[in-house]
Amino acid sequence: MIKPLNFSFIPKIAVAITVLTVSCAKYKSTTIDPLPNPRVVETSLQKEMPFPMGAAVNVGLLKSNANYRNLVIKEFNSLTAENAMKFASVHPGKDTYNWTDADYLVDFALSNGKRVHGHTLNWYKSLPDWVNNFQGNTADWENLLKTHIQTVVSHFKGKVVSWDVVNEAINEDGTFRNSIWVQKLGVDYIGRAFQYAHEADPSALLFYNDYGHEFGPTKRTAILNLVNDLKNKGIPIHGIGLQMHTRVTQSDSNLAAAITTAAATGLKVHLSEIDIALNPDNIQTLTYTPDLAAQQAAKYKSIVKTYNGIPKTQQFGITQWNVCDADSWILSNYNRPDWPLPFNSQYQRKVAYQGILDGIK
Ligand code: 9MR
């Protein structure tokens, strides 16, 4: 005898579908960045990307915050000190050096198998008072410059593979910044800074680091002229650092021009401080939306794609400035909400993370 069909399961399926729909809707309404794709969970930037991936690390957070530390260990294979190697940090008095934080960072990096990029030997900012107030003739200033560079480079010799020797020496209008160094020593001090660093560690790769290559040709050309001039004079310069503190509204063509013109120098190219601001207009009420998340992912993808296209031997790596959105310098510096990095404030991967991975497809 044929049994009559039993349809009693239908209400149960209907309940199950309703529950599923409601929970998905709830998830969608509270989440912008997708749950990690299971295929992606075990991966990391350092494993996936064909060039080194770095982060600028804050030593205080590295010591105190396990999520921060674990994410750094997992995702990156190159580290830059956000502040710990700057002049005021390591050389607070004329005859006083303080290596505590910088050494901690270097030991952490090396014991976890990570490269260390040094930042920065010479800058107009983050100078201690004793330098800003220093009284001396040209020879005294030259000695100050040389002693600082050679003491720092020698201290980390064999551990720090590369240095931002001079940082941000060019203005937006293409002129040399009227820094204390230019005032005391003239613009040729830049070449000598590279020579001093090279004398202290002939194996170290030496970079000129600046921002705004993507703004347009004025500043970019001035930077390229400077590095080409150094090269032509036989100054030991090996790389050009493009900070890439950029914004989601920057055009892909400007970003690509920044990268390809840097590569045309033949030097190594480091995207040394990347972040992509979503709130460049400082809107206090702005919120992170799926649309902004997608635009940011597309921008990261576009930058990575161009970078992946330059010759392999010139790909020094891509370093993001800070680790997650909550600790980005942008929020405190501009006092605004923003979400510039590939990790959110809970140290979870954002849509931008996938954008980076997509850049090498
Ligand atoms: O992120 C850094 C911030 O914590 C410091 O207060 C500031 C001054 O030393 O420098 C920030 O890092 C800058 C980097 O050293 C050079 N390029 C621009 C970075 C963001 O301002």
Side-chain angles (χ1 to χ4, degrees):
M1 198 176 92
I2 298 171
K3 272 188 163 180
L5 288 176
N6 178 357
F7 291 106
S8 64
F9 59 89
I10 287 179
K12 286 182 196 148
I13 290 182
V15 169
I17 289 173
T18 313
V19 168
L20 206 64
T21 315
V22 169
S23 32
C24 285
K26 192 173 159 213
Y27 169 68
K28 211 173 159 192
S29 68
T30 55
T31 315
I32 291 166
D33 299 311
L35 287 173
N37 171 343
R39 191 188 63 77
V40 165
V41 168
E42 287 313 315
T43 194
S44 65
L45 293 174
Q46 60 170 323
K47 277 191 208 157
E48 292 299 309
M49 304 301 281
F51 36 74
M53 292 297 290
V57 168
N58 175 294
V59 176
L61 287 170
L62 194 62
K63 287 180 180 167
S64 64
N65 184 325
N67 289 332
Y68 185 97
R69 190 181 175 93
N70 290 336
L71 191 138
V72 169
I73 291 172
K74 180 172 183 180
E75 296 286 351
F76 304 104
N77 50 6
S78 179
L79 302 184
T80 303
E82 182 186 14
N83 292 311
M85 292 185 188
K86 289 176 181 168
F87 203 132
S89 304
V90 291
H91 194 174
K94 185 171 183 305
D95 299 309
T96 316
Y97 290 84
N98 179 354
W99 309 111
T100 314
D101 280 358
D103 280 350
Y104 181 92
L105 175 58
V106 170
D107 290 346
F108 168 83
L110 299 186
S111 61
N112 286 287
K114 302 184 192 310
R115 178 179 83 177
V116 185
H117 173 69
H119 173 88
T120 173
L121 296 171
N122 179 267
W123 194 19
Y124 73 100
K125 275 190 184 167
S126 295
L127 295 172
D129 288 344
W130 77 266
V131 172
N132 287 321
N133 300 329
F134 184 75
Q135 302 292 323
N137 61 25
T138 307
D140 297 329
W141 275 96
E142 189 74 21
N143 185 46
L144 191 167
L145 174 79
K146 179 177 179 178
T147 304
H148 175 76
I149 290 175
Q150 297 204 324
T151 306
V152 176
V153 173
S154 301
H155 180 82
F156 296 108
K157 188 175 176 178
K159 295 179 174 175
V160 169
V161 300
S162 51
W163 284 99
D164 290 333
V165 178
V166 176
N167 192 44
E168 301 174 7
I170 306 275
N171 291 314
E172 264 80 322
D173 66 2
T175 57
F176 281 101
R177 191 185 294 280
N178 188 25
S179 68
I180 197 164
W181 306 107
V182 168
Q183 288 168 26
K184 304 296 179 189
L185 296 169
V187 297
D188 286 347
Y189 94 86
I190 295 175
R192 295 196 300 278
F194 279 83
Q195 279 164 329
Y196 296 147
H198 184 68
E199 280 168 22
D201 184 356
S203 315
L205 296 171
L206 305 181
F207 284 73
Y208 174 76
N209 195 53
D210 213 327
Y211 64 88
H213 302 245
E214 71 280 18
F215 294 173
T218 308
K219 180 165 186 177
R220 172 163 72 233
T221 306
I223 294 170
L224 296 172
N225 287 345
L226 169 65
V227 299
N228 283 325
D229 185 48
L230 294 171
K231 255 182 85 178
N232 294 339
K233 286 180 176 153
I235 301 287
I237 177 170
H238 312 105
I240 178 164
L242 278 55
Q243 294 184 6
M244 281 277 165
H245 291 294
T246 194
R247 46 181 68 185
V248 74
T249 46
Q250 183 56 269
S251 73
D252 289 343
S253 59
N254 278 351
L255 292 162
I259 295 168
T260 55
T261 55
T265 63
L267 297 168
K268 289 187 187 297
V269 179
H270 184 196
L271 303 191
S272 56
E273 306 186 11
I274 195 169
D275 43 34
I276 303 181
L278 295 183
N279 189 11
D281 295 329
N282 288 306
I283 301 166
Q284 291 303 323
T285 52
L286 194 75
T287 54
Y288 181 61
T289 60
D291 183 42
L292 282 175
Q295 286 179 43
Q296 187 181 48
K299 205 53 71 181
Y300 269 107
K301 177 181 174 183
S302 162
I303 292 170
V304 169
K305 189 167 185 224
T306 306
Y307 187 77
N308 196 37
I310 70 171
K312 286 284 151 205
T313 53
Q314 288 178 260
Q315 294 174 353
F316 186 73
I318 299 184
T319 297
Q320 60 176 67
W321 205 250
N322 302 118
V323 173
C324 85
D325 284 343
D327 54 78
S328 166
W329 69 284
I330 290 179
L331 282 70
S332 50
N333 195 69
Y334 297 105
N335 190 24
R336 72 185 191 215
D338 212 324
W339 307 266
L341 293 168
F343 300 93
N344 69 21
S345 297
Q346 285 74 47
Y347 298 95
Q348 302 299 309
R349 294 165 178 181
K350 293 164 56 188
V351 182
Y353 186 98
Q354 188 61 44
I356 293 175
L357 298 182
D358 290 346
I360 56 163
K361 276 187 189 157

